[in-house]
Amino acid sequence: MRELPAALEWSADNCTVGRALAIVGEKWTFVVLREIFMGVRRFDDLRVRTNIPRQVLTDRLSRLVEHGILRREPYRDPGSRVRYEYRPTDKGFDLFPVLQALREWGDRYLADPAGGPLTTVHRDCGAPVNLVLRCADGHEIDKMREVVGRPGPGALRR
Amino acid sequence: MRELPAALEWSADNCTVGRALAIVGEKWTFVVLREIFMGVRRFDDLRVRTNIPRQVLTDRLSRLVEHGILRREPYRDPGSRVRYEYRPTDKGFDLFPVLQALREWGDRYLADPAGGPLTTVHRDCGAPVNLVLRCADGHEIDKMREVVGRPGPGALRR
């Protein structure tokens, strides 16, 4: 008998990665968030930048509002009816590290020879921003092989 | 005339977030990677843990192999034919921060009252591991509002 992976002893039913993906794991959702974080917040601008079909974009924005990730803010251009732009809530801003991690990976493996099209910088000092994995004892972790999973406080047996 | 968001001056055609999502942004892909990182590496075990339909799982695994994120490793149970398990490549391990970021967000907003089902710890010291955003000048960044996007080396005008 082989030794079973320890993960098989535990339930994945309350996995928070699975729950996060149920909300933001749909195609286009991160593309929408990418644009929102870049300051593109109006429906027509989002259409131009992303080429997402109108109905799909409407649906994804509604879903993000429904889950408290974006909020609608009214605005009115002269001579037009009131429209809405979409701004991230605190819960939405807290998704930024996911985008940053996707971009760092994309820049490493998928960029044009010139490099990635975007850099994120610290507003105060202008230096480039990166994600760092660090443990509570202060060790920085270079290789993912140095990280192991353990049952958390909400772990359930299968 | 309103001031247009600066992002609209730039092309999103070579966006590395978009490219990353074109590979890993499909439903289930991160669920597969989650299990792989947890040490669940055989097709039948992945089926048990994820309930992904057989054909979809086959397809997602092939896609991850094709893009060099997973590699197939042969194994053979006594009395059975050779089968394959799936292991992350270095390129695959480098996606770990995306999963970690999703989990940290999920644990904050979507966990059961008891907490998340999984903790990641440093193999050497056992302390919990978290992502930190930090700029090259050494400032740690608490609020995403402190981060701004700038055209990167590969930025293209629209």
Side-chain angles (χ1 to χ4, degrees), chain A residues 2 7 10 16 19 45 49 94 107 109-110 116-117 119 121 123 128 130 132 134 136 140 146 148 150 152 154, chain B residues 2 7 10 16 19 45 49 94 107-110 117 119 121 123 128 130 132 134 136 140 146 148 150 152 154:
Chain A
R2 70 176 172 125
W10 302 94
T16 50
R19 288 181 185 175
D45 292 341
R49 285 277 294 181
D94 282 344
D107 281 355
Y109 292 106
L110 309 171
T119 307
V121 302
R123 188 186 291 274
N130 282 98
V132 178
R134 191 172 59 193
E140 290 194 13
E146 296 171 37
V148 288
R150 292 273 178 265
Chain B
R2 69 177 174 123
W10 302 94
T16 50
R19 288 181 185 176
D45 292 342
R49 284 277 295 181
D94 283 343
D107 281 355
R108 176 171 295 182
Y109 291 106
L110 308 171
T119 307
V121 302
R123 188 187 291 275
N130 282 97
V132 178
R134 193 173 57 196
E140 291 196 11
E146 295 170 37
V148 288
R150 292 272 178 267

Side-chain angles (χ1 to χ4, degrees), chain B residues 52-94:
Chain B
I52 301 177
R54 183 170 290 273
Q55 188 51 49
V56 176
L57 181 57
T58 301
D59 177 76
R60 292 304 178 276
L61 288 168
S62 297
R63 192 172 170 75
L64 290 168
V65 170
E66 178 191 324
H67 285 283
I69 291 166
L70 302 179
R71 61 187 174 79
R72 284 194 177 88
E73 183 89 356
Y75 72 92
R76 188 165 180 167
D77 283 335
S80 299
R81 64 179 171 80
V82 170
R83 295 175 178 224
Y84 295 89
E85 43 181 51
Y86 296 86
R87 293 173 178 273
T89 62
D90 287 341
K91 184 176 176 180
F93 272 115
D94 283 343

Side-chain angles (χ1 to χ4, degrees), chain A residues 46-64:
Chain A
L46 288 165
R47 282 270 299 155
V48 166
R49 285 277 294 181
T50 63
N51 275 317
I52 301 176
R54 182 169 290 272
Q55 187 52 49
V56 176
L57 181 57
T58 301
D59 177 77
R60 292 306 179 275
L61 288 168
S62 298
R63 194 173 169 75
L64 290 168

Side-chain angles (χ1 to χ4, degrees), chain A residues 102-137:
Chain A
L102 281 167
R103 190 173 61 74
E104 290 187 17
W105 187 79
D107 281 355
R108 175 171 297 182
Y109 292 106
L110 309 171
D112 285 349
L118 179 78
T119 307
T120 47
V121 302
H122 188 190
R123 188 186 291 274
D124 292 348
C125 76
V129 165
N130 282 98
L131 282 169
V132 178
L133 264 180
R134 191 172 59 193
C135 81
D137 275 3

Side-chain angles (χ1 to χ4, degrees), chain A residues 19-140:
Chain A
R19 288 181 185 175
L21 289 169
I23 297 172
V24 296
E26 305 214 85
K27 199 179 160 192
W28 297 124
T29 301
F30 279 113
V31 172
V32 169
L33 286 172
R34 173 191 80 189
E35 295 302 323
I36 297 275
F37 285 134
M38 291 291 294
V40 180
R41 290 172 179 184
R42 297 184 181 186
F43 189 88
D44 291 337
D45 292 341
L46 288 165
R47 282 270 299 155
V48 166
R49 285 277 294 181
T50 63
N51 275 317
I52 301 176
R54 182 169 290 272
Q55 187 52 49
V56 176
L57 181 57
T58 301
D59 177 77
R60 292 306 179 275
L61 288 168
S62 298
R63 194 173 169 75
L64 290 168
V65 169
E66 180 191 323
H67 284 284
I69 291 166
L70 301 180
R71 60 187 175 80
R72 284 194 178 87
E73 182 90 355
Y75 73 92
R76 189 167 179 167
D77 282 335
S80 300
R81 63 180 173 79
V82 170
R83 294 174 180 225
Y84 295 89
E85 44 181 50
Y86 296 86
R87 293 172 176 274
T89 62
D90 287 341
K91 184 176 177 181
F93 272 115
D94 282 344
L95 278 168
F96 179 77
V98 182
L99 265 292
Q100 176 81 21
L102 281 167
R103 190 173 61 74
E104 290 187 17
W105 187 79
D107 281 355
R108 175 171 297 182
Y109 292 106
L110 309 171
D112 285 349
L118 179 78
T119 307
T120 47
V121 302
H122 188 190
R123 188 186 291 274
D124 292 348
C125 76
V129 165
N130 282 98
L131 282 169
V132 178
L133 264 180
R134 191 172 59 193
C135 81
D137 275 3
H139 305 119
E140 290 194 13

Side-chain angles (χ1 to χ4, degrees), chain B:
Chain B
M1 283 287 286
R2 69 177 174 123
E3 196 183 337
L4 287 172
L8 288 173
E9 294 171 28
W10 302 94
S11 170
D13 289 350
N14 66 340
C15 173
T16 50
V17 173
R19 288 181 185 176
L21 289 169
I23 297 172
V24 295
E26 305 215 86
K27 199 179 159 190
W28 297 124
T29 301
F30 279 113
V31 172
V32 170
L33 287 172
R34 173 191 81 190
E35 296 301 323
I36 298 275
F37 285 134
M38 290 292 294
V40 179
R41 290 169 180 186
R42 298 186 180 186
F43 190 88
D44 292 337
D45 292 342
L46 288 166
R47 282 271 298 154
V48 166
R49 284 277 295 181
T50 62
N51 275 316
I52 301 177
R54 183 170 290 273
Q55 188 51 49
V56 176
L57 181 57
T58 301
D59 177 76
R60 292 304 178 276
L61 288 168
S62 297
R63 192 172 170 75
L64 290 168
V65 170
E66 178 191 324
H67 285 283
I69 291 166
L70 302 179
R71 61 187 174 79
R72 284 194 177 88
E73 183 89 356
Y75 72 92
R76 188 165 180 167
D77 283 335
S80 299
R81 64 179 171 80
V82 170
R83 295 175 178 224
Y84 295 89
E85 43 181 51
Y86 296 86
R87 293 173 178 273
T89 62
D90 287 341
K91 184 176 176 180
F93 272 115
D94 283 343
L95 277 168
F96 180 77
V98 182
L99 265 292
Q100 176 81 21
L102 281 167
R103 191 173 61 73
E104 290 187 18
W105 187 80
D107 281 355
R108 176 171 295 182
Y109 291 106
L110 308 171
D112 286 349
L118 179 79
T119 307
T120 47
V121 302
H122 188 189
R123 188 187 291 275
D124 292 348
C125 75
V129 165
N130 282 97
L131 282 169
V132 178
L133 263 180
R134 193 173 57 196
C135 81
D137 275 2
H139 305 119
E140 291 196 11
I141 292 164
D142 292 327
K143 293 187 184 299
M144 301 315 125
R145 289 177 175 83
E146 295 170 37
V147 179
V148 288
R150 292 272 178 267
L156 304 172
R157 294 261 169 202
R158 281 187 67 209

